Amino acid sequence: MGAVQSPVVPVVADLIRATPGTISLGQGVVCYGPPDSALHNVLAHAGELNQYYGPVEGIPELAGRLKDKLRTENDIHIDEGRSLVISAGANMGFLNALFAITDPGAEVILPTPYYFNHEMAVRMLNCEPVCVDTDQHFQITPEAVAAALTPRTAAVVTISPNNPSGAVYPEQSLRAINELCRERGVYHISDEAYEYFVYDDQAHFSPASLDGSDRHTISLFSLSKAYGFSSWRIGYMLIPAHLHEAVRKVQDTNLICPPLASQYAALGALEAGREYCIDRIRQIARNRMFVLDELKKLDCLDGAVRSDGAFYTFLRLRTGLSDMDIVKRLVQEFKIAVMPGSAFGMDRGCYLRISYGALDEATLVEGMHRLTGGLRAIAG
């Protein structure tokens, strides 16, 4: 545990608490909550929330609804070669997967910038994160991944749409990564928590929809972002059937079962459906355009500002200061919080992650005014 980085969200949260009035462009949540149907469904099943545990893999009603969703929205057809397991969020799904497929010393390929909780989980299991650079637009390149594969490689991880960069990986790249994993006998862990958050002409693609992907593809999904469901902790994972018993052991030990109240809430949320999410994501899309337009006015940025998906943009600054120096000064002097890029594996150069999903329009305008003014004063 000494080799595992401290989680960056609580570190920045401590800075915010010490500076009242700070606006946060840090934590990755949305500006809306769950549909009313989520809470209504919990109340409707209140009599079933008792002293007994539920099924380890989740209740059949929710599993069935999620399988329908995967078929209609992701073009993923579940047969005897695959299993669906409901988890307490996609983070737990990722840890379940690592327990099931790795031994100590195994390597897990993480394109950089990586999601910090993925890197932390790999280290917690005494495995080795192998960082692979992306291009100037934070796009993954199959050639770089292929060069990083060794006999100890257990898995390649992709996140699309991406946290923290906002990049959306094209179907062609994900097809190539998935085929590479099949050829080399390693797993492809595809984190798709931000699947609904794509903009302009971008499209989300699920590698598990590919023919022949069932034995080596692990797909992670979540209700946290799209349904404003973060604190309910409900996600789900689609795994090869031969991993089912291993994942079941892990989940029974670590969780016993997904929280029943949250599963009933998830059923209610899914009744509202994707349209509930898309209507609200339109506001986040407007936030995105405002943020990108404001950032383009800065002279201290090194490279183009992009955000094709999720609700993040990842900035590189031309400065000799460290990212944590800038984060601290932004909070303490300008009352605006962002995340340091080093937490996401970017320790060459100064990077910041900006999250624009959590704020209403007026607060975002004020927050960006503080951010751009602070960066001009600090970084030039």
Side-chain angles (χ1 to χ4, degrees):
M1 294 303 294
V4 179
Q5 65 166 304
S6 295
V8 69
V9 172
V11 170
V12 176
D14 288 343
L15 290 172
I16 293 172
R17 278 191 293 271
T19 313
T22 297
I23 295 173
S24 178
L25 292 168
Q27 194 167 10
V29 294
V30 294
C31 56
Y32 57 89
D36 291 341
S37 55
L39 184 56
H40 291 164
N41 203 50
V42 176
L43 296 175
H45 289 85
E48 299 169 52
L49 305 178
N50 49 40
Q51 74 271 30
Y52 300 109
Y53 296 119
V56 174
E57 302 92 340
I59 57 176
E61 303 97 306
L62 180 56
R65 183 67 65 88
L66 292 172
K67 289 176 182 179
D68 290 342
K69 177 264 179 188
L70 289 170
R71 184 180 65 254
T72 58
E73 296 184 11
N74 302 88
D75 196 26
I76 299 172
H77 298 269
I78 302 176
D79 54 23
E80 65 276 3
R82 285 183 164 132
S83 294
L84 186 141
V85 176
I86 298 162
S87 60
N91 263 15
M92 174 162 279
F94 185 78
L95 198 56
N96 284 350
L98 290 188
F99 269 112
I101 68 173
T102 65
D103 291 316
E107 296 175 347
V108 178
I109 291 178
L110 303 177
T112 54
Y114 51 61
Y115 173 44
F116 53 80
N117 280 146
H118 284 176
E119 189 264 354
M120 293 167 68
V122 171
R123 290 196 183 277
M124 285 180 189
L125 269 68
N126 283 329
C127 296
E128 185 67 27
V130 176
C131 297
V132 172
D133 291 338
T134 51
D135 69 14
Q136 69 271 27
H137 300 303
F138 305 114
Q139 288 290 332
I140 190 171
T141 56
E143 296 79 11
V145 172
L149 290 169
T150 76
R152 291 199 298 161
T153 304
V156 177
V157 179
T158 59
I159 310 172
S160 181
N162 189 263
N163 176 12
S165 72
V168 177
Y169 298 159
E171 177 179 339
Q172 180 180 1
S173 296
L174 290 169
R175 281 179 173 272
I177 295 295
N178 195 264
E179 177 62 16
L180 179 64
C181 290
R182 187 193 66 79
E183 291 175 352
R184 299 292 290 271
V186 303
Y187 290 98
H188 180 185
I189 302 178
S190 174
D191 188 328
E192 304 175 39
Y194 297 87
E195 58 180 324
Y196 290 174
F197 297 85
V198 291
Y199 311 106
D200 299 335
D201 59 348
Q202 299 295 317
H204 171 69
F205 178 75
S206 294
S209 65
L210 295 170
D211 290 341
S213 64
D214 56 324
R215 290 193 58 80
H216 67 280
T217 306
I218 299 170
S219 305
L220 308 178
F221 299 90
S222 174
L223 273 70
S224 292
K225 309 304 179 182
Y227 284 93
F229 230 68
S230 293
S231 66
W232 290 88
R233 307 312 307 136
I234 286 290
Y236 53 105
M237 57 190 306
L238 188 63
I239 59 176
H242 64 261
L243 294 179
H244 180 86
E245 185 58 24
V247 168
R248 196 170 190 269
K249 292 177 184 179
V250 177
Q251 182 139 301
D252 181 68
T253 302
N254 198 24
L255 182 66
I256 299 181
C257 65
L260 194 57
S262 296
Q263 292 187 77
Y264 284 129
L267 272 169
L270 292 170
E271 288 175 9
R274 181 172 182 163
E275 281 307 309
Y276 174 85
C277 309
I278 298 304
D279 286 346
R280 284 150 185 81
I281 290 171
R282 292 190 182 100
Q283 175 59 52
I284 294 178
R286 290 191 289 272
N287 287 358
R288 165 184 174 263
M289 291 306 302
F290 175 74
V291 167
L292 294 181
D293 287 344
E294 291 299 299
L295 291 174
K296 288 173 183 176
K297 300 174 185 177
L298 291 173
D299 295 328
C300 58
L301 301 185
D302 186 4
V305 180
R306 295 188 61 164
S307 177
D308 296 324
F311 35 78
Y312 308 109
T313 186
F314 205 62
L315 311 178
R316 177 166 179 162
L317 304 181
R318 288 193 295 268
T319 177
L321 298 173
S322 74
D323 56 357
M324 275 307 300
D325 287 338
I326 290 179
V327 168
K328 290 176 181 178
R329 289 187 61 183
L330 284 172
V331 172
Q332 293 165 353
E333 300 174 26
F334 297 91
K335 294 189 176 183
I336 186 71
V338 297
M339 291 293 169
S342 54
F344 303 92
M346 303 299 280
D347 51 8
R348 299 191 304 272
C350 182
Y351 292 85
L352 302 175
R353 189 193 76 173
I354 312 300
S355 177
Y356 53 80
L359 303 181
D360 59 55
E361 185 175 353
T363 308
L364 182 66
V365 169
E366 173 60 23
M368 288 303 298
H369 173 74
R370 296 183 189 184
L371 177 64
T372 54
L375 288 177
R376 287 190 181 99
I378 297 170

